[in-house]
Amino acid sequence: MTVAIEKNPPVMLPNEPIITPQIVAEHGLAPDEYERLLKIMGRTPTMVELGIFSAMWSEHCSYKSSKVWLKKLPTSAPWVIQGPGENAGVIDIGDGQAAIFKMESHNHPSYIEPYQGAATGVGGILRDVFTMGARPVANLNALRFGDPSHPKTRHLVSGVVAGIGGYGNCMGIPTVGGETNFHAAYNGNILVNAMTVGIAATDKIFYAAAAGLGNPMVYVGSKTGRDGIHGATMSSTEFNEDSESKRPTVQVGDPFVEKLLLEACLELMATDAIVAIQDMGAAGLTSSSFEMAAKGGLGLEMALDQVPMRETGMNPYELMLSESQERMLIVLKPGREDEARKIFEKWELDFAVIGHLTDTERMVLSWHGEIVGNIPIPPLVTEAPMYERPWKLTPLPDVLDASQVPAPTDWNASLLALMSCPDLASKAWIWHQYDHLIMGNTAIRPQDGDAAVVRVPGGSKGLAMTSDCTPRYVQAHPETGGRQAVAEAWRNITATGARPLAVTDNMNFGNPTKPEIMGQFAGAIMGMAEACKALDFPVVSGNVSLYNETEGRPILPTPTIGAVGVIDDVAMAVGSRLRQAGLGIVLIGETKGWLGQSLYLREACGREEGAPPPVDLAAERRNGDFVRAQIAGRHVAACHDLSDGGLLVALAEMCIAGGTGATVALPKGTDVPSHAFLYGEDQARYLIATGSPDQMLQAARAAGVPAVLLGYSGGDLLVVEGLVALALAGIKSVHEAWLPAYMNTTD
């Protein structure tokens, strides 16, 4: 029987403190937000009720500063089955199959406790995907660390990489791609963004909306401990000198239990017993139960003393806010409890009926028979704070003329310096710690191509996937940087021959109460929305991570774009390795020699200035569609998009990856200075190796696509006539040496 709060107000538990302004502030609620809570409740809340409001109204869970802007992103297309609002996005990839994917952050926890923070970030995103009925087929990650000379950077790199590898490898899910950058702006606040892609049948997708009065609500997985309490609240504040004391709020993961949970959930999903299912992520039992009831327009009653506990003396507050890992909440059809219990007990997991659904639209919590919480569910959603915070757009910096940037005095040395700088140096030390071949479906591996390609089990179809962002562009001009992040992800998918289909994003920014930071967020969204619309590249899922600041110093604005595309036959996919002599090297796209915000400018000249390269979305679409058609026509042996470091870096990467040199020359008649032509970071460009360059140039002219033959592959040198002549072995040596040497250095 549902208990009306007017007749049965919650009891105060022994030793429960009286709510004070200090306690409210410690829960991250502003005074006006607490006043809003009091109006909803009509009385002072209990501690567990305060904790629930605190978690659900945190930035991490409610998106109160970002929601108004996120609505501007395009989220629909004929192939989109489920857009934002569920655990993950779902797209139709044909043949009755769907790709389910999402990216999420675990930034604050990974800085405090790098191994567990990164590991549980991987575990959480895996659960987001398999809770919808998908078997995960690939993981990716996007990592941003501080200056390599900072005393904590090496420790953080080591812990994060070990955590990602430890969890993903134990789960048996390949980690197939990602990116790693270094910049002093991340010294006190690293970024760990994790992405998972899974496959499900389009008629076997599971959602979180609860349904069915009286249906049982069951808890499955690991027992609940005290780890992760206030994790969502912690992720909604910036760091200060006390951040190390927040170590207890970092969750502890067990990938072996998660593997059991994955198999048990998929086994139960093969029956028709599940009505709704939700993983316990941020805010744990609070968010999972509340979101299921809210989406279904129902209420719930939960007996918290029935929750499996791994620590003694736990109380309702701790149980509702714990973020212990490897847990799920499921609404079953009536009478199916024993069937479900047998499955989970077979997999040696906890199973407990902890409540049922009601028609009251209230969350009623009991503890050994006494009501300890009674919250109306709808206003927790409808009255949740949503801010249109003051914002100030970042003006576009002046365009940096190439004549204002000195050319190299030693061309060979300039290329070696770029190829060995922290951002461009090989990350093999990282991905060799990840099992990227397990499951046997990885067709294009890390550093083999611009995007990873994974075969869809049971056929010839493949999924291409990538993660991209150029934070220095976003810092200089957020709109341009947002456009470029989407466009580069689209190019990377295209460069394999796959059709780009959809995006997941991870919006990593500083303190949104600062107008300039909110302006960065707004500008990035504007640019992303424009690019997604122009490229038919909808956003189907994502995550917002704000307050990435330490002592008032923000990170570079980093709207990471995760992207997925499909190729009908993985045998048709191409990588970026230049493996064969005698191929024509064709540059697709226009080169104006854009050096503003380039890596050459930063690494060779010590300058971070100027406008970032403009993004012509019509040119991106035209050039990309042309490249994809050439790959489909089997005219392309290797393809690499041009981004960080420009043309010469891209060519060097292709040569050392495939073990084949090249001799090229600057096009005759170009008025672009040599250093700007070779190191400029103009967008919408690709390098293609082809056995039929004349045919490709003719096709490009017919399509209105700028294209020029630069030279041919062959030999063991990289030669730019009159400028560069380097042995591939020398380039490869410096390219591969930096990160292992850095990680093996002892202070």
Side-chain angles (χ1 to χ4, degrees), residues 58 65 155 187 238 240-241 253 325 377 430 492 738:
S58 69
S65 296
H155 161 72
N187 279 351
E238 61 183 81
N240 54 38
E241 69 275 6
Q325 297 292 285
I377 291 173
I430 292 175
N492 283 344
W738 179 79

Side-chain angles (χ1 to χ4, degrees), residues 542-611:
N543 173 245
V544 175
S545 175
L546 301 177
Y547 295 96
N548 288 289
E549 299 201 4
T550 301
E551 301 292 343
R553 296 184 301 275
I555 61 164
L556 296 183
T558 310
T560 308
I561 302 297
V564 171
V566 67
I567 188 165
D568 295 332
D569 184 353
V570 290
M572 299 285 288
V574 300
S576 59
R577 289 179 178 262
L578 190 56
R579 302 176 185 269
Q580 180 183 345
L583 299 174
I585 309 297
V586 175
L587 171 62
I588 301 294
E590 185 178 10
T591 299
K592 295 182 178 179
W594 201 277
L595 288 173
Q597 299 298 330
S598 66
L599 278 185
Y600 173 79
L601 183 70
R602 189 179 86 187
E603 297 296 326
C605 308
R607 295 157 59 184
E608 295 184 56
E609 59 187 83

